[in-house]
Amino acid sequence: MRILILGAGQVGTSLAEALASEANDITVVDQDAQALALLAERLDIRTVAGNASHPSVLREAGIDDADLLVAVTQSDQTNLVACKIARSLFRVPTRIARLRSADYLDPAILANDNFAVDHAICPEQEVTDYIAKMIEFPEALQVVEFAGGRVVLVGLRAGADGLLAGKPIRTLREHLPAGVDARIAAIFRNHRQIEPDGNTVVAPGDEVFLLAASGQIRRVLLELRKAPAPARRVLIAGGGNIGARVAERLERDYSVKLIERNRGRAAAIAMQLSRTLVLSGDATDENLLTQENIDETDVFLALTNDDEDNIMAASLAKRLGCRRVLALINRRAYADMVQGGPIDIALSPAQVSIGTLLTHVRRGDVARVHRLRRGAAEALELIAHGDAQTSQAVGRRIDQLPKIGGARIAAIVRRAELGVLMPQVGVLREAYPERVIIPHHDTVIESGDRVIVFCTHKRQVKEVERLFQVAAGFL
C-alpha cells in the first residue's frame, strides 16, 4: 500500500515505524528537515520537506499514486486542507485527519462536499478515554475494549493473593460462577512470552493479559489479584489540552485537584471546570504536594507537555505516599526505563492513538486495533466474512485453522440470528443482541462473527489478516 503521512511528530513517527516494517511504501512530509533526516536514518521510507497543505509539495511526495493519506500535523487547518486537496485534485481513495478541536468534528464539515475527511481522529480525546479506563481499573497496566465495549482485555501483574495463585490455568473455570467465562490470552514472564495452556501456572509478578465480557471482567480479575480499593481522589499535574480534558471527564465521579504552573492558564481552567479544585503551582514542589495531602491521594496523573517534569513529579508523588501514579511520556526510552520502577504506568500518547489509525490501514475487515506492551504486541478485532469456500476461517473449528505461532483467538462476539423486541425511546423495536463467546478448540467461526485475536508479536499480524481475508470475487 502506498501511504502518505503528513507530519513527523510523535503520532506520524509512530505510524511510520509501525507501517514501514509491513511492506508498505511510506512517504512522510514535514517542514522540519532535520526531523525527517533522523527518521529516514532509522526507517526505510521516503521523506519530503515542505508545507503539507501545498499541492506542489504533495505532488512531489507522490500523492498521484497514493492509496491512503494520513494528515497528522499539529495544525487542524493544514490537515483539513490537505484532505480536501487529496480528494479534489488527486482522487486519493482514503483520507484520515487528526483534529484537535471539537468544532471540526461535525460530520457536515468532514463530508466530501466540504473537507472530504473519511476518518477523523482526536489523540487527546483517546488519551483522555484511556486514562479514565485506567482509573476505573486501578490494578491494571493496560485496559482496552472491543466490540463497542462488550469485551474488555486487561493487562496486569499477577499477585500472590489471587485465587489462581499456585494453580494451573485449567482450574480457572472451576473457580468462576456459572455463566462466567474468560480467557488468559498471553503471559509474559521476565519480559519473555509464555504460551499459556491448561497446565500453565501463573506466577506472582507475571504480566498477564486476561479477556472477558465487560460485565464479568471484575469478577474474573480476582483470579489474578485481590481487588484494590476503588479510586476516589485524583491529583492532576498539568492543565494543558489533555490535563483539562481529563479533569473535565473525571470530576463527575471523583474528587479532582489540578495543578497548573501558568497562573493565567490556571485561572482559565478554573472557569472551564465546575467541580475541580485548580491550583497554581509547580507539581514537582514537595511542599505543595504535601500540603495537598498527596499521601491520601489514590491516583496522581502527570500530564504536562514535558517528559522530564512528568517523570520527576510522578516519582516524587509516589515517594510521598500516593497509591498509584501515571506519567505521560512521549520518549519510548524513558517509558521503558521508568515503568515498573518509581512510576506505575508510563503512558505514550502516540501508542494509544495509533491503534485507531492502524484500524483503517489493516487489510481485511478490521474493526479495531490496539497496540499492547508499548507496541511490541497487538490485539485485533476482525469481522469474519464469506463461507468455507471463500474463507480460510469461516465454517471451520478453531483446531482446524492454520497454526500461527504466537497468535491466539481470545473471544468471539456473535450477533443473534433472531431479533427480539426491545424498548427504544418508548417504542418497541426489533434488535439483534450480541453475545460474547470464549472459544474452545471445537468452536466454529461463522460469517459475521467479530473475532478478537491476540498477537504476542506484531509480525504475526499479517498472517492473521490473511487468514480472515476472503477470496477474490467474493461479494
Side-chain angles (χ1 to χ4, degrees):
M1 183 182 291
R2 292 184 176 88
I3 303 173
L4 187 55
I5 300 174
L6 310 182
Q10 288 293 332
V11 176
T13 297
S14 296
L15 182 62
E17 290 173 346
L19 298 177
S21 60
E22 299 179 5
N24 293 295
D25 184 355
I26 308 293
T27 302
V28 178
V29 177
D30 197 278
Q31 295 192 82
D32 189 338
Q34 184 177 2
L36 292 176
L38 293 173
L39 195 58
E41 287 180 5
R42 297 190 292 110
L43 305 174
D44 183 17
I45 62 171
R46 181 169 172 255
T47 62
V48 173
N51 190 312
S53 64
H54 289 179
S56 60
V57 174
L58 295 174
R59 187 175 286 108
E60 181 185 354
I63 195 172
D64 291 290
D65 300 318
D67 301 304
L68 170 67
L69 179 134
V70 184
V72 288
T73 74
Q74 296 292 328
S75 167
D76 286 359
Q77 293 80 4
T78 297
N79 296 337
L80 288 168
V81 170
C83 287
K84 179 64 174 178
I85 292 173
R87 183 180 188 275
S88 300
L89 298 185
F90 302 103
R91 301 298 175 185
V92 176
T94 307
R95 303 157 305 279
I96 302 173
R98 169 187 180 172
L99 299 174
R100 308 178 80 175
S101 173
D103 289 343
Y104 290 126
L105 297 178
D106 185 337
I109 294 176
L110 304 180
N112 286 339
D113 290 341
N114 290 310
F115 285 109
V117 177
D118 292 311
H119 308 287
I121 66 165
C122 180
E124 291 81 5
Q125 187 58 48
E126 293 188 8
V127 170
T128 298
D129 295 340
Y130 187 92
I131 291 174
K133 187 61 66 174
M134 293 296 296
I135 294 176
E136 184 181 342
F137 292 88
E139 69 270 47
L141 298 172
Q142 195 162 5
V143 182
V144 296
E145 294 181 330
F146 298 95
R150 292 175 178 82
V151 178
V152 179
L153 177 69
V154 178
L156 73 164
R157 295 280 180 200
D161 55 0
L163 299 177
L164 199 61
K167 301 180 180 67
I169 289 176
R170 66 172 180 271
T171 63
L172 176 65
R173 299 181 69 183
E174 300 173 7
H175 300 169
L176 297 176
V180 177
D181 204 353
R183 167 64 43 80
I184 291 180
I187 298 174
F188 296 87
R189 183 173 298 163
N190 298 323
H191 303 291
R192 296 181 60 185
Q193 187 262 332
I194 296 175
E195 189 72 29
D197 60 31
N199 296 318
T200 304
V201 176
V202 179
D206 283 354
E207 185 179 352
V208 181
F209 283 87
L210 189 147
L211 180 145
S214 57
Q216 302 175 355
I217 188 66
R218 290 197 178 279
R219 169 60 187 85
V220 175
L221 290 176
L222 294 176
E223 296 293 320
L224 294 176
R225 65 183 305 154
K226 183 179 178 181
R232 291 179 297 166
R233 295 174 291 272
V234 179
L235 179 57
I236 300 172
N241 200 355
I242 292 178
R245 282 175 182 262
V246 171
E248 187 173 18
R249 172 71 176 271
L250 297 181
E251 66 177 2
R252 294 168 293 181
D253 303 309
Y254 304 91
S255 172
V256 180
K257 297 178 182 179
L258 185 149
I259 299 174
E260 166 57 37
R261 181 176 296 171
N262 183 288
R263 184 176 294 272
R265 175 64 179 167
I269 297 171
M271 295 292 291
Q272 172 189 339
L273 302 172
S274 58
R275 300 181 183 177
T276 299
L277 175 61
V278 180
L279 306 167
S280 178
D282 186 345
T284 62
D285 182 344
E286 181 174 349
N287 291 330
L288 176 59
L289 294 183
T290 301
Q291 290 172 11
E292 296 307 320
N293 301 313
I294 189 65
D295 58 329
E296 298 177 4
T297 300
D298 299 309
V299 182
F300 179 86
L301 305 174
L303 306 180
T304 77
N305 294 322
D306 188 285
D307 284 359
E308 288 81 2
D309 278 355
N310 288 341
I311 292 171
M312 291 297 295
S315 300
L316 179 60
K318 190 71 172 181
R319 184 174 67 81
L320 294 175
C322 183
R323 180 153 65 94
R324 193 162 178 82
V325 301
L326 179 151
L328 208 62
I329 301 177
N330 286 294
R331 296 187 187 181
R332 184 178 302 172
Y334 284 6
D336 292 340
M337 179 177 63
V338 300
Q339 177 159 313
I343 294 174
D344 296 303
I345 304 293
L347 179 62
S348 165
Q351 289 299 324
V352 172
S353 59
I354 196 173
T356 302
L357 291 169
L358 292 176
T359 299
H360 304 301
V361 176
R362 297 293 186 214
R363 293 173 174 83
D365 194 349
V366 178
R368 200 71 178 95
V369 176
H370 288 293
R371 306 301 296 279
L372 306 170
R373 307 191 79 242
R374 293 189 289 281
E378 197 164 297
L380 302 90
E381 176 188 341
L382 306 104
I383 302 177
H385 295 292
D387 52 31
Q389 283 69 47
T390 58
S391 169
Q392 297 183 69
V394 174
R396 292 173 173 80
R397 297 167 18 141
I398 298 292
D399 58 8
Q400 293 174 328
L401 300 179
K403 303 297 181 185
I404 302 175
R408 186 179 179 87
I409 294 179
I412 295 172
V413 179
R414 182 169 294 166
R415 184 174 182 261
E417 294 183 3
L418 299 177
V420 295
L421 292 177
M422 299 184 68
Q424 295 182 13
V425 198
V427 180
L428 289 177
R429 299 183 186 276
E430 190 174 38
Y432 293 84
E434 293 182 319
R435 63 189 178 101
V436 178
I437 301 170
I438 302 299
H440 301 283
H441 69 93
D442 57 351
T443 302
V444 177
I445 296 177
E446 299 179 2
S447 182
D449 282 352
R450 291 177 175 269
V451 184
I452 298 159
V453 183
F454 190 104
C455 299
T456 55
H457 196 282
K458 60 184 179 182
R459 64 171 173 266
Q460 296 137 7
V461 170
K462 286 299 176 187
E463 294 182 73
V464 172
E465 289 176 348
R466 285 194 292 268
L467 177 62
F468 283 88
Q469 284 179 340
V470 293
F474 170 77
L475 297 176

